[in-house]
Amino acid sequence: MVYKLITIFLAGVTALPSQTIRKITPLGEQKTLVYAINGINPVTARDSFFGSVPYSVDYFYRAASYEKTWFTGTVISVFITMPTTCDIPLLYQRSDAAAALQGVNFDLYSRRAYLGTFPCPWGGLAPIGWAGVTLGGTEYGMAFLNGGGGALHE
């Protein structure tokens, strides 16, 4: 199932330029914008990320961190023209553009999760570690969860 990928969500150690705005930390509230792309059920996505069920991302991190890390946020539905190849920058650029058209304030979120059926061979993808991905001088945690890719793991 697309939403079972949990442990790769805290994303990426990178060398960061001094002008980068660091928005993420591994502890405390993890404000997350979840993209339900091209028909992914937003209610299921919300429950999978923020629900109190034992298999939600929030529930897992609360338990694993002894209540030191938890997830809150918003799920939005976006529709994009899917690339024909596994083009990660194009996936997030198109998804972000669709979210911007809906008036999303990206500054409210330190993490982004993209849920869809992507033309990629993997089930999930995210940078390793805690730092994140720098977009326009601001650092975000980023993860892709692929319903059409390979096997997911925890």
Side-chain angles (χ1 to χ4, degrees), residues 10-84:
L10 288 176
V13 171
T14 58
L16 300 171
S18 61
Q19 73 274 13
T20 298
I21 300 167
R22 186 176 300 274
K23 292 187 71 166
I24 60 175
T25 175
L27 298 176
E29 182 180 27
Q30 307 299 307
K31 296 274 299 176
T32 305
L33 179 60
V34 178
Y35 297 76
I37 300 172
N38 291 359
I40 296 294
N41 184 324
V43 174
T44 302
R46 183 192 67 234
D47 292 345
S48 296
F49 270 82
F50 310 120
S52 59
V53 296
Y55 299 108
S56 76
V57 171
D58 178 60
Y59 185 94
F60 176 85
Y61 277 98
R62 284 179 188 269
S65 70
Y66 299 98
E67 299 287 329
K68 293 180 182 165
T69 302
W70 62 95
F71 283 78
T72 63
T74 304
V75 176
I76 61 167
S77 290
V78 297
F79 291 88
I80 65 169
T81 300
M82 195 61 67
T84 57

